[in-house]
Every structure is written in structure tokens, then in C-alpha cells.
């Protein structure tokens, strides 16, 4: 097989996984037009249309789906073979691509990335932060970070710190007008921000004390999927917010936010860095895991 043919197949594989010429180009470090040109050349060479294209979307044809189903394991094996070579290197090398929830990324990775790259100048770290649930295999990530309850089967999971907690916070101005809730049931008398995933699905405020578990579903007028915005709404005095403790720590310490129901907020499940079990761990990923664990 000629190098150009392999390059065209690799471009097609990237588009098939991302269903986007732009994201495929970003992944491969080339322009979207270069990816489109390579896929068009492949289609012309095999004489079959592999992708359906519109101005808004990209999808696989039946033939494209069959080809990608057979290509994907082959390219995964190539990546694994190259990863295996890293065990012969003295220092981490190449790119490590990770997915991490945006709501926890700053205080989980903020102090890790700089020292890691400084200690390993041949290492490239690419992190995509989103609270959308991502399939790291389908979207071309080496690893991801999630709470244990969100992990897929068939993954190798490495427990990392910190263990996170949620906090209920409101501003002094808010509590000047309303009594502080003493139990989760009293939240029905308060204005509470609804927490939601990027998909729009709401999730409850979860509490536990002495074996009693309560899941409270706010019905307030504000629904957000970003903890930064939740903190800002709480600071404005408009509502109470249910956010990661670390995110509101500074505002709590300087008195701009007041925490309540603290004893009802137990630690969340452990955080895990996870990756596909079939993939050999590269020296770069191993260095990243060591840095996060430390």
C-alpha cells in the first residue's frame, strides 16, 4: 500500500470517528479542506461514496460504515504497536490526549500540567474539558477523568485525588432575606439553581447523613450546566447554588458566600483516570498518571 493511500484511510477514519471535517483536521494537525480532499481522493479511488455531506452534518453511508468498522480495530492496533515502543524510551515522548469534565478540570489538573510538561519537554498534553459524557475510544482520547459512577466497563481505572465534595452556597444578601435551611427538606422554601448536564438533563442535589439519603430536585427559574455561572448567580444573591466545594472555596473563605447543610454533603465517589484496557500504556500517559496521583 502506498503512503498516500494509508494517509487517505487515516483521514477517513478520523472523519468517521468525529463526524466532522474540522475536528478530524484538528486531531491530525491539518486543515479541514486537506481532510476533505484526502477523503474525496479515497472515494474516487474505490469508486464508492463513503460519507454523506451537508452544510451542517457529516454521516457515514452504509459502505462507509462497513469500511470504518474494519478499519477502526486496525488503526487501534497500529496505535498500540507505536505505544509499545515508548517502553524503550528513557523519557516520555509524543502527545497525550485526555478528556476531563470542565467543572473539575481547574482544581484537578491546574497544578499538574505545568510541572509535567516542564519535566518532560518532549511531551505534548492536549486536554478537552467538557461535562458532556464522552466515549474516549470513539473520539480518539488516550484517557479520561471521571467519577467512578460514570465509568464504562472494560476500562482500566486508576484512583486519583482529590476526593471531591459538593457545597450549598448563598450570599450574605440572600440569607439576610431568608432563614438558612437546616435540613434538605427546607430547600423547598428557597430559590435553588437547577443543575443540568450539557444534554439538558437535570440532576438532583444529593444529600446523606447518618444513613439517610435525600435527592432534592430544584424547581427554580434558573438551570445551568456550568459551575462558574452557578457561583456567579449565588454571589448575585438571586439563588442558592449546588457546586463543587473547591470551586467556591475562595468565595467562602473571604465571606462572599455562606455555606449551609455542610454536614449533609458527604464526599463524592473517587475520581479515576481511565483508559482502554486493550491499549498499551505509553510512557507519556504513564507520566501523566504519576503526576496526577502525586
Amino acid at each position: 500500500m502506498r503512503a498516500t493511500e494509508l494517509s487517505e484511510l487515516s483521514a477517513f477514519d478520523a472523519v468517521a470517528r468525529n463526524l466532522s471535517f474540522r475536528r478530524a483536521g484538528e486531531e491530525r494537525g491539518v486543515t479541514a479542506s486537506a481532510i476533505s480532499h484526502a477523503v474525496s481522493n479515497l472515494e474516487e479511488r474505490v469508486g464508492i461514496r463513503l460519507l454523506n455531506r451537508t452544510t451542517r452534518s457529516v454521516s457515514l453511508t452504509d459502505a462507509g460504515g462497513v469500511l470504518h468498522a474494519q478499519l477502526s480495530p486496525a488503526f487501534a492496533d497500529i496505535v498500540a504497536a507505536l505505544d509499545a515502543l515508548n517502553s524503550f524510551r528513557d523519557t516520555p515522548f509524543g502527545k497525550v490526549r485526555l478528556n476531563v469534565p470542565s467543572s473539575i478540570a481547574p482544581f484537578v489538573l491546574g497544578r499538574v500540567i505545568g510541572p509535567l510538561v516542564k519535566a518532560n519537554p518532549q511531551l505534548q498534553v492536549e486536554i478537552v474539558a467538557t461535562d458532556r459524557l464522552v466515549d474516549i475510544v470513539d473520539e480518539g482520547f488516550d484517557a479520561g477523568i471521571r467519577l467512578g459512577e460514570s465509568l464504562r466497563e472494560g476500562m482500566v481505572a486508576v484512583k486519583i485525588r482529590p476526593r471531591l465534595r459538593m457545597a450549598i452556597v448563598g450570599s450574605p444578601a440572600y440569607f439576610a432575606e431568608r432563614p438558612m435551611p437546616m435540613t434538605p427538606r427546607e430547600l423547598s422554601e428557597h430559590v435553588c439553581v437547577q443543575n443540568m448536564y450539557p444534554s439538558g438533563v437535570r440532576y438532583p442535589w444529593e444529600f446523606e447523613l447518618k444513613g439517610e439519603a435525600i435527592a432534592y430536585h430544584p424547581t427554580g427559574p434558573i438551570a445551568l450546566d456550568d459551575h462558574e455561572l452557578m457561583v456567579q448567580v449565588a454571589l448575585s444573591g438571586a439563588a442558592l447554588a449546588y457546586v463543587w466545594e473547591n470551586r467556591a472555596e475562595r468565595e467562602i473563605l473571604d465571606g462572599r458566600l455562606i455555606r449551609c447543610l455542610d454536614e449533609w454533603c458527604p464526599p463524592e465517589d473517587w475520581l479515576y483516570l481511565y483508559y482502554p484496557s486493550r491499549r498499551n500504556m505509553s510512557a507519556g500517559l504513564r507520566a501523566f498518571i504519576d503526576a496526577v496521583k502525586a
Side-chain angles (χ1 to χ4, degrees):
M1 178 180 290
R2 293 178 299 175
T4 54
E5 295 173 350
L6 183 59
S7 179
E8 290 166 0
L9 289 171
S10 180
F12 166 74
D13 176 68
V15 176
R17 284 187 287 100
N18 291 280
L19 294 180
S20 166
F21 287 98
R22 178 183 59 80
R23 290 196 296 270
E26 290 173 352
E27 178 182 303
R28 291 176 53 78
V30 298
T31 65
S33 61
I35 292 290
S36 178
H37 182 69
V39 173
S40 295
N41 285 346
L42 174 62
E43 290 177 318
E44 183 176 348
R45 182 162 55 81
V46 298
I48 299 174
R49 183 160 54 89
L50 303 172
L51 297 172
N52 296 312
R53 305 164 174 84
T54 70
T55 56
R56 295 186 177 182
S57 65
V58 177
S59 63
L60 292 168
T61 65
D62 289 344
V66 170
L67 177 61
H68 183 244
Q70 297 186 55
L71 278 181
S72 186
F75 277 112
D77 288 343
I78 292 173
V79 171
L82 293 174
D83 282 348
L85 295 178
N86 282 318
S87 62
F88 295 95
R89 299 184 188 277
D90 294 329
T91 59
F93 178 90
K95 179 188 290 185
V96 177
R97 190 166 186 260
L98 299 110
N99 168 254
V100 59
S102 57
S103 58
I104 65 173
F107 43 85
V108 173
L109 299 180
R111 299 180 180 179
V112 172
I113 300 171
L116 174 65
V117 174
K118 186 175 181 180
N120 302 280
Q122 297 184 72
L123 184 64
Q124 300 176 38
V125 178
E126 181 177 295
I127 296 173
V128 175
T130 174
D131 284 327
R132 176 176 62 87
L133 285 177
V134 169
D135 187 317
I136 61 171
V137 176
D138 287 348
E139 300 195 26
F141 291 98
D142 296 296
I145 293 177
R146 290 283 170 189
L147 291 169
E149 62 187 18
S150 302
L151 294 181
R152 278 179 44 190
E153 293 184 4
M155 294 285 172
V156 176
V158 180
K159 185 184 294 185
I160 61 174
R161 295 180 182 276
R163 193 173 185 186
L164 305 178
R165 293 179 71 206
M166 301 297 289
I168 312 298
V169 293
S171 71
Y174 178 91
F175 287 117
E177 298 180 356
R178 299 171 179 83
M180 186 173 295
M182 304 309 295
T183 71
R185 293 179 179 85
E186 295 178 13
L187 289 171
S188 60
E189 303 170 9
H190 289 263
V191 181
C192 301
V193 174
Q194 296 185 60
N195 292 54
M196 66 179 183
Y197 295 110
S199 65
V201 174
R202 272 63 166 172
Y203 57 94
W205 295 15
E206 296 183 331
F207 303 96
E208 185 178 339
L209 181 64
K210 297 180 181 179
E212 181 182 7
I214 297 175
Y216 176 67
H217 295 267
T219 57
I222 304 171
L224 302 171
D225 73 346
D226 182 84
H227 282 234
E228 178 66 31
L229 284 175
M230 294 175 195
V231 168
Q232 294 304 315
V233 169
L235 287 169
S236 75
L240 297 180
Y242 179 72
V243 297
W244 291 116
E245 176 184 60
N246 303 64
R247 175 55 196 85
E249 184 176 28
R250 182 174 63 253
E251 290 81 1
I252 294 171
L253 288 174
D254 64 22
R256 289 186 293 151
L257 287 177
I258 299 173
R259 184 172 187 171
C260 61
L261 299 175
D262 186 20
E263 70 278 11
W264 281 91
C265 297
E268 292 286 325
D269 194 1
W270 285 97
L271 278 174
Y272 291 87
L273 188 146
Y274 66 102
Y275 58 94
S277 58
R278 68 180 181 180
R279 177 170 296 177
N280 293 325
M281 185 186 296
S282 68
L285 181 55
R286 187 180 301 109
F288 188 90
I289 292 174
D290 290 343
V292 173
K293 288 174 64 178

